[in-house]
Coordinates of all heavy atoms in Angstrom, one line a residue:
M1135 N -15.2 9.1 -23.6 CA -13.9 9.6 -23.2 C -12.9 8.4 -23.3 O -13.3 7.3 -22.8 CB -14.0 10.1 -21.8 CG -12.7 10.6 -21.2 SD -12.7 11.1 -19.5 CE -13.1 12.8 -19.7
P1136 N -11.8 8.6 -23.9 CA -10.8 7.4 -24.0 C -10.2 7.1 -22.6 O -10.2 7.9 -21.7 CB -9.7 8.0 -24.9 CG -9.8 9.5 -24.8 CD -11.3 9.8 -24.5
P1137 N -9.8 5.8 -22.4 CA -9.2 5.5 -21.2 C -7.9 6.2 -20.9 O -7.3 6.7 -21.9 CB -9.0 4.0 -21.3 CG -8.9 3.7 -22.8 CD -9.8 4.7 -23.4
L1138 N -7.5 6.3 -19.6 CA -6.3 7.0 -19.3 C -5.1 6.2 -19.8 O -5.1 5.0 -19.8 CB -6.1 7.1 -17.8 CG -7.1 8.0 -17.0 CD1 -6.9 7.9 -15.5 CD2 -7.0 9.4 -17.5
S1139 N -4.1 6.9 -20.3 CA -2.9 6.3 -20.8 C -2.1 5.9 -19.5 O -2.4 6.4 -18.4 CB -2.0 7.3 -21.6 OG -1.6 8.3 -20.8
E1140 N -1.0 5.1 -19.7 CA -0.2 4.7 -18.6 C 0.5 6.0 -17.9 O 0.6 6.1 -16.7 CB 0.9 3.7 -19.0 CG 0.3 2.3 -19.3 CD -0.5 1.7 -18.2 OE1 0.0 1.7 -17.0 OE2 -1.7 1.3 -18.5
E1141 N 0.9 6.9 -18.8 CA 1.5 8.1 -18.3 C 0.5 8.9 -17.5 O 0.9 9.5 -16.4 CB 2.0 9.0 -19.5 CG 3.2 8.4 -20.2 CD 2.8 7.3 -21.1 OE1 1.6 7.1 -21.5 OE2 3.7 6.4 -21.4
E1142 N -0.7 9.0 -17.9 CA -1.8 9.7 -17.2 C -2.1 9.1 -15.9 O -2.3 9.7 -14.8 CB -3.0 9.9 -18.0 CG -2.9 10.8 -19.2 CD -4.0 10.7 -20.2 OE1 -4.6 9.7 -20.4 OE2 -4.3 11.8 -20.8
K1143 N -2.1 7.7 -15.9 CA -2.3 7.0 -14.6 C -1.2 7.3 -13.6 O -1.5 7.5 -12.4 CB -2.4 5.5 -14.9 CG -3.7 5.0 -15.5 CD -3.6 3.5 -15.7 CE -4.7 3.0 -16.6 NZ -4.5 1.7 -17.0
D1144 N 0.0 7.3 -14.1 CA 1.2 7.6 -13.2 C 1.0 9.0 -12.6 O 1.3 9.2 -11.5 CB 2.5 7.5 -14.0 CG 2.9 6.0 -14.2 OD1 2.3 5.1 -13.6 OD2 3.9 5.8 -14.9
A1145 N 0.7 9.9 -13.5 CA 0.6 11.3 -13.0 C -0.6 11.4 -12.0 O -0.4 12.1 -11.0 CB 0.3 12.2 -14.2
L1146 N -1.7 10.7 -12.2 CA -2.8 10.7 -11.3 C -2.4 10.1 -9.9 O -2.7 10.7 -8.9 CB -4.0 10.0 -11.9 CG -5.2 10.0 -11.1 CD1 -5.8 11.4 -10.8 CD2 -6.3 9.1 -11.8
V1147 N -1.7 9.0 -10.0 CA -1.3 8.4 -8.7 C -0.3 9.3 -7.9 O -0.4 9.5 -6.7 CB -0.6 7.0 -9.0 CG1 0.2 6.5 -7.8 CG2 -1.6 6.0 -9.4
R1148 N 0.6 9.9 -8.7 CA 1.6 10.8 -8.0 C 0.8 12.0 -7.4 O 1.2 12.5 -6.3 CB 2.6 11.3 -9.0 CG 3.4 10.1 -9.5 CD 4.9 10.3 -9.2 NE 5.6 9.1 -9.5 CZ 6.2 8.3 -8.6 NH1 6.3 8.7 -7.4 NH2 6.8 7.2 -8.9
K1149 N -0.2 12.5 -8.1 CA -1.0 13.7 -7.6 C -1.7 13.3 -6.3 O -1.7 14.0 -5.3 CB -2.0 14.1 -8.7 CG -2.7 15.4 -8.3 CD -1.8 16.6 -8.1 CE -2.5 17.8 -7.6 NZ -1.6 18.9 -7.3
I1150 N -2.3 12.1 -6.4 CA -3.1 11.7 -5.2 C -2.1 11.5 -4.0 O -2.4 11.9 -2.9 CB -3.8 10.3 -5.5 CG1 -4.9 10.6 -6.5 CG2 -4.3 9.7 -4.2 CD1 -5.5 9.3 -7.0
G1151 N -0.9 10.9 -4.3 CA 0.1 10.7 -3.3 C 0.5 12.1 -2.7 O 0.7 12.2 -1.5
S1152 N 0.7 13.1 -3.5 CA 1.1 14.4 -3.0 C 0.0 15.0 -2.1 O 0.3 15.7 -1.2 CB 1.4 15.3 -4.2 OG 0.3 15.8 -4.8
L1153 N -1.2 14.7 -2.4 CA -2.3 15.2 -1.5 C -2.2 14.5 -0.2 O -2.4 15.1 0.9 CB -3.7 14.9 -2.2 CG -4.0 15.7 -3.5 CD1 -5.3 15.2 -4.1 CD2 -4.0 17.2 -3.2
G1154 N -1.9 13.2 -0.2 CA -1.8 12.4 1.0 C -0.8 13.0 1.9 O -0.9 13.0 3.1
K1155 N 0.3 13.5 1.3 CA 1.4 14.1 2.2 C 0.9 15.3 3.0 O 1.4 15.5 4.0 CB 2.6 14.5 1.3 CG 3.3 13.3 0.7 CD 4.4 13.7 -0.3 CE 4.7 12.6 -1.2 NZ 5.5 12.9 -2.3
A1156 N 0.0 16.0 2.4 CA -0.5 17.2 3.1 C -1.4 16.8 4.3 O -1.7 17.6 5.2 CB -1.3 18.1 2.1
F1157 N -2.0 15.6 4.3 CA -2.8 15.1 5.3 C -2.2 13.8 5.9 O -2.7 12.7 5.6 CB -4.2 14.8 4.8 CG -4.9 16.1 4.2 CD1 -4.8 16.3 2.8 CD2 -5.5 17.0 5.0 CE1 -5.4 17.5 2.3 CE2 -6.1 18.1 4.5 CZ -6.1 18.4 3.1
R1158 N -1.2 14.0 6.6 CA -0.3 12.9 7.0 C -1.1 11.7 7.6 O -0.9 10.6 7.3 CB 0.8 13.3 7.9 CG 1.8 12.3 8.1 CD 3.2 12.8 8.4 NE 4.1 11.7 8.4 CZ 4.7 11.2 7.3 NH1 4.5 11.8 6.1 NH2 5.5 10.2 7.3
Y1159 N -2.1 12.1 8.5 CA -2.8 11.0 9.2 C -3.9 10.4 8.3 O -4.5 9.4 8.7 CB -3.3 11.5 10.5 CG -2.2 11.9 11.4 CD1 -1.8 13.2 11.7 CD2 -1.4 10.9 12.0 CE1 -0.8 13.6 12.4 CE2 -0.3 11.2 12.8 CZ 0.0 12.6 13.0 OH 1.1 12.9 13.8
G1160 N -4.1 10.9 7.2 CA -5.0 10.3 6.3 C -4.4 9.5 5.2 O -5.0 9.1 4.2
Q1161 N -3.1 9.3 5.3 CA -2.4 8.6 4.2 C -2.8 7.2 4.1 O -3.0 6.5 5.1 CB -0.9 8.6 4.5 CG -0.3 10.0 4.2 CD 1.2 10.0 4.6 OE1 1.6 9.3 5.5 NE2 1.9 10.9 3.9
R1162 N -3.0 6.8 2.9 CA -3.3 5.4 2.6 C -2.5 4.9 1.5 O -2.1 5.6 0.6 CB -4.8 5.3 2.2 CG -5.8 5.6 3.2 CD -5.8 4.6 4.4 NE -6.6 5.1 5.5 CZ -7.8 4.6 5.7 NH1 -8.3 3.7 4.8 NH2 -8.5 5.0 6.7
C1163 N -2.2 3.6 1.5 CA -1.5 2.9 0.4 C -2.4 3.0 -0.9 O -3.6 2.7 -0.8 CB -1.2 1.5 0.7 SG -0.6 0.6 -0.7
L1164 N -1.8 3.4 -2.0 CA -2.6 3.6 -3.2 C -2.6 2.4 -4.1 O -3.2 2.4 -5.2 CB -2.0 4.8 -4.0 CG -1.8 6.1 -3.2 CD1 -1.0 7.1 -4.0 CD2 -3.2 6.7 -2.9
R1165 N -1.9 1.3 -3.6 CA -1.8 0.1 -4.4 C -1.2 0.3 -5.8 O -1.5 -0.5 -6.7 CB -3.2 -0.6 -4.6 CG -4.1 -0.5 -3.5 CD -4.0 -1.5 -2.4 NE -5.1 -1.5 -1.5 CZ -5.0 -1.2 -0.2 NH1 -3.8 -0.9 0.3 NH2 -6.0 -1.1 0.5
C1166 N -0.3 1.3 -5.9 CA 0.3 1.6 -7.2 C 1.4 0.6 -7.5 O 1.9 0.5 -8.6 CB 0.8 3.0 -7.2 SG 2.1 3.3 -6.0
R1167 N 2.0 0.0 -6.4 CA 3.1 -1.0 -6.6 C 4.4 -0.4 -7.0 O 5.3 -1.1 -7.4 CB 2.7 -2.2 -7.5 CG 1.4 -2.9 -7.1 CD 1.1 -4.1 -8.0 NE 1.9 -5.2 -7.7 CZ 1.7 -6.1 -6.8 NH1 0.6 -6.1 -6.0 NH2 2.6 -7.1 -6.6
Y1168 N 4.5 0.9 -6.9 CA 5.8 1.5 -7.3 C 6.9 1.0 -6.3 O 8.1 1.0 -6.6 CB 5.8 3.0 -7.2 CG 4.9 3.7 -8.2 CD1 4.4 5.0 -8.0 CD2 4.7 3.1 -9.4 CE1 3.6 5.6 -9.0 CE2 3.9 3.7 -10.4 CZ 3.4 5.0 -10.2 OH 2.6 5.6 -11.1
C1169 N 6.5 0.6 -5.1 CA 7.5 0.1 -4.1 C 8.1 -1.2 -4.4 O 9.1 -1.7 -3.8 CB 6.9 0.1 -2.7 SG 5.4 -0.9 -2.7
Q1170 N 7.5 -2.0 -5.3 CA 7.9 -3.3 -5.6 C 9.0 -3.3 -6.7 O 9.1 -2.4 -7.5 CB 6.7 -4.1 -6.2 CG 5.6 -4.2 -5.1 CD 6.0 -5.1 -3.9 OE1 6.0 -6.3 -4.0 NE2 6.3 -4.4 -2.9
P1171 N 9.9 -4.3 -6.7 CA 9.9 -5.4 -5.7 C 10.7 -5.0 -4.5 O 11.7 -4.3 -4.5 CB 10.7 -6.5 -6.5 CG 11.6 -5.7 -7.4 CD 10.9 -4.4 -7.8
C1172 N 10.3 -5.5 -3.4 CA 11.0 -5.4 -2.1 C 12.1 -6.5 -2.2 O 11.8 -7.7 -2.5 CB 10.1 -5.7 -0.9 SG 10.9 -6.2 0.6
P1173 N 13.4 -6.2 -1.8 CA 14.5 -7.2 -1.9 C 14.2 -8.3 -1.0 O 14.8 -9.4 -1.2 CB 15.7 -6.4 -1.5 CG 15.2 -5.1 -0.9 CD 13.9 -4.8 -1.5
Q1174 N 13.4 -8.2 0.0 CA 13.1 -9.3 1.0 C 11.9 -10.1 0.5 O 11.5 -11.0 1.2 CB 12.8 -8.7 2.4 CG 14.0 -8.0 3.0 CD 15.1 -9.0 3.2 OE1 16.1 -9.0 2.5 NE2 14.9 -10.0 4.2
G1175 N 11.2 -9.6 -0.6 CA 10.1 -10.4 -1.1 C 8.8 -10.0 -0.4 O 7.8 -10.8 -0.6
I1176 N 8.7 -8.9 0.3 CA 7.5 -8.5 1.0 C 6.6 -7.8 -0.1 O 7.1 -6.9 -0.8 CB 7.8 -7.5 2.1 CG1 8.7 -8.2 3.2 CG2 6.5 -7.1 2.8 CD1 9.3 -7.2 4.2
V1177 N 5.4 -8.3 -0.2 CA 4.4 -7.7 -1.1 C 3.7 -6.6 -0.4 O 2.7 -6.7 0.2 CB 3.4 -8.7 -1.7 CG1 2.6 -8.0 -2.8 CG2 4.2 -9.9 -2.4
I1178 N 4.4 -5.4 -0.4 CA 4.0 -4.3 0.5 C 2.5 -3.9 0.4 O 1.8 -3.7 1.4 CB 5.0 -3.1 0.3 CG1 6.4 -3.6 0.7 CG2 4.6 -1.9 1.2 CD1 7.5 -2.7 0.2
P1179 N 2.0 -3.7 -0.9 CA 0.6 -3.2 -1.0 C -0.4 -4.3 -0.4 O -1.4 -3.9 0.1 CB 0.4 -3.0 -2.5 CG 1.6 -3.6 -3.2 CD 2.7 -3.7 -2.2
E1180 N 0.0 -5.5 -0.4 CA -0.9 -6.5 0.2 C -0.9 -6.5 1.7 O -1.9 -6.7 2.4 CB -0.5 -7.9 -0.3 CG -0.9 -8.2 -1.8 CD -2.4 -8.0 -2.0 OE1 -3.2 -8.9 -1.7 OE2 -2.8 -6.9 -2.6
V1181 N 0.3 -6.1 2.3 CA 0.4 -5.9 3.7 C -0.5 -4.7 4.1 O -1.3 -4.8 5.0 CB 1.8 -5.6 4.1 CG1 1.9 -5.3 5.6 CG2 2.7 -6.8 3.8
F1182 N -0.5 -3.7 3.3 CA -1.3 -2.5 3.6 C -2.8 -2.8 3.4 O -3.7 -2.3 4.1 CB -0.9 -1.3 2.8 CG 0.3 -0.6 3.4 CD1 1.5 -0.5 2.7 CD2 0.3 -0.1 4.7 CE1 2.6 0.2 3.2 CE2 1.4 0.6 5.2 CZ 2.5 0.7 4.5
R1183 N -3.1 -3.7 2.4 CA -4.4 -4.0 2.1 C -5.0 -4.8 3.3 O -6.1 -4.5 3.8 CB -4.6 -4.9 0.9 CG -6.0 -5.1 0.5 CD -6.1 -6.2 -0.6 NE -5.3 -6.0 -1.8 CZ -5.7 -5.3 -2.8 NH1 -6.9 -4.7 -2.8 NH2 -5.0 -5.1 -3.9
A1184 N -4.2 -5.7 3.8 CA -4.7 -6.5 5.0 C -4.9 -5.5 6.2 O -5.9 -5.7 6.9 CB -3.7 -7.6 5.3
W1185 N -4.0 -4.6 6.4 CA -4.1 -3.7 7.5 C -5.3 -2.8 7.3 O -6.1 -2.6 8.3 CB -2.8 -2.8 7.5 CG -2.9 -1.6 8.5 CD1 -3.2 -0.3 8.1 CD2 -2.8 -1.7 9.9 NE1 -3.2 0.4 9.3 CE2 -2.9 -0.3 10.3 CE3 -2.5 -2.7 10.8 CZ2 -2.8 0.0 11.7 CZ3 -2.4 -2.3 12.1 CH2 -2.6 -1.0 12.6
D1186 N -5.6 -2.3 6.1 CA -6.7 -1.5 5.9 C -8.0 -2.2 6.1 O -9.0 -1.7 6.6 CB -6.7 -0.9 4.4 CG -5.7 0.2 4.2 OD1 -5.1 0.7 5.2 OD2 -5.4 0.5 3.1
M1187 N -8.0 -3.5 5.7 CA -9.3 -4.3 5.9 C -9.5 -4.5 7.4 O -10.7 -4.4 7.8 CB -9.1 -5.7 5.2 CG -9.2 -5.5 3.6 SD -8.5 -7.0 2.8 CE -9.9 -8.1 3.0
C1188 N -8.5 -4.8 8.1 CA -8.7 -5.0 9.6 C -9.2 -3.7 10.2 O -10.0 -3.8 11.1 CB -7.4 -5.5 10.2 SG -7.0 -7.2 9.9
R1189 N -8.6 -2.6 9.8 CA -9.0 -1.4 10.4 C -10.3 -0.8 10.0 O -11.1 -0.3 10.8 CB -7.9 -0.3 10.0 CG -8.1 1.1 10.6 CD -7.0 2.0 10.3 NE -6.9 2.1 8.8 CZ -5.9 2.7 8.2 NH1 -4.9 3.3 8.9 NH2 -5.8 2.8 6.9
D1190 N -10.7 -1.0 8.7 CA -11.8 -0.3 8.2 C -13.1 -1.1 8.0 O -14.2 -0.6 7.9 CB -11.5 0.4 6.8 CG -10.4 1.4 7.0 OD1 -10.2 1.9 8.1 OD2 -9.6 1.6 6.0
Y1191 N -12.9 -2.4 7.8 CA -14.1 -3.2 7.6 C -14.9 -3.3 8.8 O -14.4 -3.3 9.9 CB -13.7 -4.6 7.1 CG -13.4 -4.8 5.7 CD1 -13.1 -3.7 4.9 CD2 -13.4 -6.0 5.0 CE1 -12.8 -3.8 3.5 CE2 -13.1 -6.2 3.7 CZ -12.8 -5.1 2.9 OH -12.4 -5.2 1.6
P1192 N -16.3 -3.4 8.7 CA -17.1 -3.6 9.9 C -16.8 -4.9 10.6 O -16.2 -5.8 10.0 CB -18.5 -3.6 9.3 CG -18.4 -3.9 7.8 CD -17.0 -3.4 7.4
G1193 N -17.1 -5.0 11.8 CA -16.7 -6.1 12.7 C -16.7 -7.5 12.2 O -15.8 -8.2 12.3
D1194 N -17.8 -7.9 11.5 CA -18.0 -9.2 11.1 C -17.0 -9.6 9.9 O -16.9 -10.7 9.6 CB -19.4 -9.5 10.6 CG -20.4 -9.6 11.8 OD1 -19.9 -9.6 12.9 OD2 -21.6 -9.7 11.5
F1195 N -16.4 -8.5 9.3 CA -15.6 -8.7 8.1 C -14.1 -8.5 8.3 O -13.4 -8.7 7.4 CB -16.2 -7.9 7.0 CG -17.5 -8.2 6.5 CD1 -18.6 -7.5 7.0 CD2 -17.7 -9.3 5.7 CE1 -19.9 -7.9 6.6 CE2 -19.0 -9.7 5.3 CZ -20.1 -9.0 5.8
K1196 N -13.8 -8.1 9.5 CA -12.4 -7.8 9.8 C -11.5 -9.0 9.6 O -10.3 -8.9 9.3 CB -12.2 -7.2 11.2 CG -12.7 -5.8 11.3 CD -12.4 -5.2 12.7 CE -13.1 -3.9 12.9 NZ -12.6 -2.8 12.0
Y1197 N -12.1 -10.2 9.8 CA -11.3 -11.4 9.7 C -10.8 -11.6 8.3 O -9.8 -12.3 8.1 CB -12.2 -12.7 10.1 CG -13.1 -13.1 9.0 CD1 -12.8 -14.1 8.1 CD2 -14.4 -12.5 8.8 CE1 -13.6 -14.5 7.1 CE2 -15.2 -12.9 7.8 CZ -14.9 -13.9 6.9 OH -15.7 -14.2 5.9
L1198 N -11.4 -11.0 7.3 CA -10.9 -11.1 5.9 C -9.5 -10.5 5.8 O -8.6 -11.0 5.1 CB -11.8 -10.4 4.9 CG -13.2 -11.0 4.8 CD1 -14.1 -10.1 4.0 CD2 -13.1 -12.4 4.1
G1199 N -9.2 -9.4 6.5 CA -7.9 -8.8 6.6 C -6.9 -9.8 7.2 O -5.8 -9.9 6.8
L1200 N -7.4 -10.4 8.3 CA -6.5 -11.4 9.0 C -6.1 -12.5 8.1 O -5.0 -13.0 8.1 CB -7.2 -11.9 10.3 CG -7.0 -11.1 11.5 CD1 -7.8 -11.7 12.7 CD2 -5.6 -10.9 11.9
E1201 N -7.1 -13.0 7.4 CA -6.9 -14.1 6.5 C -5.9 -13.8 5.4 O -5.1 -14.5 5.0 CB -8.2 -14.6 5.9 CG -9.0 -15.4 6.9 CD -10.1 -16.2 6.3 OE1 -10.3 -16.2 5.1 OE2 -10.8 -17.0 7.1
L1202 N -6.1 -12.6 4.8 CA -5.2 -12.1 3.8 C -3.8 -12.0 4.4 O -2.8 -12.5 3.8 CB -5.6 -10.7 3.3 CG -4.7 -10.0 2.3 CD1 -4.5 -10.9 1.0 CD2 -5.2 -8.7 1.9
Y1203 N -3.6 -11.5 5.6 CA -2.3 -11.4 6.2 C -1.7 -12.8 6.5 O -0.5 -13.0 6.1 CB -2.5 -10.7 7.6 CG -1.1 -10.4 8.2 CD1 -0.3 -9.4 7.9 CD2 -0.7 -11.3 9.2 CE1 0.9 -9.2 8.5 CE2 0.6 -11.1 9.8 CZ 1.3 -10.1 9.5 OH 2.6 -9.9 10.0
R1204 N -2.5 -13.7 7.0 CA -2.0 -15.0 7.2 C -1.5 -15.7 5.9 O -0.6 -16.6 6.0 CB -3.1 -15.9 7.9 CG -3.3 -15.5 9.3 CD -4.3 -16.4 10.0 NE -4.6 -16.0 11.4 CZ -5.8 -15.8 11.8 NH1 -6.9 -15.9 11.0 NH2 -6.0 -15.4 13.0
G1205 N -2.2 -15.4 4.8 CA -1.8 -16.0 3.6 C -0.6 -15.4 2.9 O -0.1 -15.9 1.8
L1206 N 0.0 -14.3 3.4 CA 1.2 -13.7 2.8 C 2.4 -14.7 2.9 O 2.6 -15.1 4.0 CB 1.5 -12.4 3.5 CG 0.4 -11.3 3.3 CD1 0.8 -10.1 4.2 CD2 0.3 -10.9 1.8
D1207 N 3.0 -14.9 1.8 CA 4.2 -15.8 1.9 C 5.3 -15.2 2.8 O 6.0 -15.9 3.5 CB 4.8 -16.0 0.5 CG 3.8 -16.9 -0.3 OD1 3.1 -17.7 0.3 OD2 3.9 -16.9 -1.6
V1208 N 5.5 -13.9 2.6 CA 6.5 -13.2 3.4 C 5.9 -12.2 4.3 O 5.2 -11.3 3.8 CB 7.6 -12.6 2.5 CG1 8.7 -11.9 3.4 CG2 8.2 -13.6 1.5
K1209 N 6.0 -12.3 5.6 CA 5.4 -11.3 6.5 C 6.3 -10.1 6.7 O 7.5 -10.2 6.4 CB 5.2 -12.0 7.9 CG 4.3 -13.2 7.8 CD 2.9 -12.9 7.5 CE 1.9 -14.1 7.7 NZ 2.1 -15.1 6.8
P1210 N 5.8 -9.0 7.1 CA 6.6 -7.7 7.1 C 7.7 -7.8 8.2 O 8.6 -6.9 8.1 CB 5.5 -6.6 7.5 CG 4.3 -7.4 7.9 CD 4.3 -8.7 7.3
D1211 N 7.7 -8.8 9.1 CA 8.8 -8.8 10.0 C 10.1 -9.3 9.3 O 11.2 -9.3 9.9 CB 8.5 -9.7 11.2 CG 8.2 -11.2 10.8 OD1 8.2 -11.5 9.6 OD2 8.0 -12.0 11.8
A1212 N 10.0 -9.6 8.0 CA 11.2 -9.9 7.2 C 11.9 -8.6 6.8 O 13.0 -8.7 6.2 CB 10.9 -10.7 6.0
C1213 N 11.3 -7.5 7.0 CA 11.9 -6.2 6.6 C 13.2 -5.9 7.3 O 13.4 -6.1 8.5 CB 10.9 -5.1 7.0 SG 11.5 -3.4 6.6
V1214 N 14.2 -5.5 6.5 CA 15.5 -5.1 7.0 C 15.7 -3.6 7.0 O 16.9 -3.2 7.2 CB 16.6 -5.8 6.2 CG1 16.5 -7.4 6.4 CG2 16.6 -5.5 4.7
E1215 N 14.6 -2.9 6.8 CA 14.7 -1.4 6.9 C 15.7 -0.8 5.9 O 16.4 0.2 6.3 CB 14.9 -0.9 8.3 CG 13.8 -1.4 9.2 CD 13.9 -0.9 10.6 OE1 14.5 0.2 10.8 OE2 13.2 -1.4 11.5
C1216 N 15.8 -1.4 4.7 CA 16.7 -0.8 3.7 C 16.1 0.5 3.2 O 16.8 1.3 2.6 CB 16.9 -1.8 2.5 SG 15.4 -2.0 1.5
R1217 N 14.8 0.8 3.3 CA 14.1 2.0 2.9 C 14.0 2.2 1.4 O 13.6 3.3 0.9 CB 14.7 3.2 3.6 CG 14.6 3.2 5.1 CD 15.1 4.4 5.8 NE 14.3 5.6 5.4 CZ 13.2 5.9 6.0 NH1 12.7 5.2 7.0 NH2 12.5 7.0 5.7
E1218 N 14.3 1.1 0.6 CA 14.1 1.3 -0.8 C 12.7 1.6 -1.2 O 12.4 2.4 -2.0 CB 14.5 0.0 -1.5 CG 15.9 -0.2 -1.7 CD 16.2 -1.5 -2.6 OE1 15.4 -1.9 -3.4 OE2 17.3 -2.1 -2.4
C1219 N 11.7 1.0 -0.4 CA 10.3 1.3 -0.7 C 9.9 2.7 -0.4 O 9.1 3.3 -1.1 CB 9.4 0.2 0.0 SG 9.7 0.3 1.8
V1220 N 10.5 3.2 0.7 CA 10.1 4.5 1.1 C 10.5 5.6 0.1 O 9.8 6.5 -0.2 CB 10.8 4.9 2.5 CG1 10.6 6.3 2.9 CG2 10.4 3.9 3.5
E1221 N 11.7 5.3 -0.6 CA 12.1 6.2 -1.6 C 11.2 6.2 -2.8 O 11.1 7.3 -3.5 CB 13.6 5.8 -2.1 CG 14.6 5.9 -1.0 CD 14.7 7.2 -0.3 OE1 14.7 8.2 -1.1 OE2 14.9 7.3 0.9
K1222 N 10.6 5.1 -3.1 CA 9.8 5.0 -4.3 C 8.3 5.3 -4.1 O 7.5 5.5 -5.1 CB 9.8 3.6 -4.8 CG 11.2 3.1 -5.3 CD 11.1 1.7 -5.8 CE 12.4 0.9 -5.6 NZ 12.2 -0.5 -5.7
C1223 N 7.8 5.4 -2.9 CA 6.4 5.5 -2.6 C 5.9 6.9 -2.7 O 6.5 7.8 -2.0 CB 6.1 4.9 -1.2 SG 4.4 5.2 -0.7
P1224 N 4.9 7.2 -3.5 CA 4.3 8.5 -3.6 C 3.5 8.9 -2.4 O 3.2 10.1 -2.2 CB 3.5 8.5 -4.9 CG 3.1 7.1 -5.0 CD 4.2 6.2 -4.4
A1225 N 3.0 8.0 -1.6 CA 2.1 8.3 -0.6 C 2.7 8.5 0.8 O 2.2 9.2 1.7 CB 1.0 7.2 -0.5
F1226 N 3.8 7.9 1.0 CA 4.4 7.8 2.4 C 5.7 8.6 2.5 O 6.3 8.5 3.6 CB 4.6 6.4 2.8 CG 3.2 5.7 3.0 CD1 2.7 5.0 2.0 CD2 2.6 5.8 4.2 CE1 1.4 4.4 2.2 CE2 1.3 5.2 4.4 CZ 0.8 4.5 3.4
T1227 N 6.2 9.1 1.4 CA 7.5 9.8 1.5 C 7.3 11.3 1.5 O 6.3 11.8 1.2 CB 8.4 9.4 0.4 OG1 7.8 9.7 -0.9 CG2 8.8 8.0 0.5
Ligands
SF4_820 S1 12.4 -1.2 3.9 FE1 13.4 -2.6 2.3 S2 13.1 -4.6 3.2 FE2 11.7 -3.3 4.3 S3 9.7 -3.4 3.1 FE3 10.8 -1.7 2.3 S4 12.0 -2.5 0.6 FE4 11.3 -4.2 1.8
SF4_821 S1 4.4 2.6 -3.5 FE1 3.4 3.2 -1.6 S2 1.3 3.6 -2.2 FE2 2.3 2.5 -3.9 S3 1.8 0.3 -3.4 FE3 3.7 0.7 -2.5 S4 3.2 1.4 -0.3 FE4 1.3 1.5 -1.6

């Protein structure tokens, strides 16, 4: 089977995002990066990756999420709530 084209990948991500909307509390960042760039320089999918690691990894490995978070050049408190990312995100809008 040939690999997915970029158009097919986009369609798949959007479909998965639409499923997430139906299960609001099961929503997860899809790491699609459609929300980038953030005008404040926040790498949003990496923030969510750190959050997911802290939340989902077993006890001894949660620190990996903390380390990822600590290594972010721009922390999410730099957000000015312009909502540009919200408009672009297939999973959270
Ligand atoms: S709301 Fe604006 S500033 Fe905040 S993370 Fe999204 S794009 Fe960046
Ligand atoms: S657009 Fe949404 S799902 Fe995609 S990387 Fe950004 S926050 Fe994650």
Side-chain angles (χ1 to χ4, degrees):
M1135 179 184 269
L1138 294 177
S1139 67
E1140 290 306 310
E1141 291 75 23
E1142 288 168 331
K1143 286 180 193 169
D1144 281 353
L1146 184 58
V1147 165
R1148 299 237 168 244
K1149 184 64 183 174
I1150 293 169
S1152 73
L1153 294 174
K1155 289 171 199 170
F1157 299 96
R1158 190 152 189 85
Y1159 295 105
Q1161 287 175 330
R1162 295 293 173 99
C1163 172
L1164 307 169
R1165 323 277 190 243
C1166 64
R1167 302 182 76 88
Y1168 291 158
C1169 53
Q1170 299 292 284
C1172 158
Q1174 293 298 106
I1176 301 167
V1177 184
I1178 300 164
E1180 289 299 284
V1181 174
F1182 280 120
R1183 187 193 304 274
W1185 171 258
D1186 288 348
M1187 289 163 77
C1188 286
R1189 179 178 56 190
D1190 298 335
Y1191 277 19
D1194 288 351
F1195 295 99
K1196 291 186 186 295
Y1197 78 95
L1198 292 169
L1200 276 178
E1201 288 199 353
L1202 177 59
Y1203 183 83
R1204 287 186 185 123
L1206 295 173
D1207 289 335
V1208 183
K1209 302 291 191 290
D1211 60 0
C1213 174
V1214 293
E1215 299 186 19
C1216 69
R1217 298 184 66 81
E1218 280 186 29
C1219 57
V1220 176
E1221 300 301 322
K1222 297 180 208 165
C1223 175
F1226 293 91
T1227 56

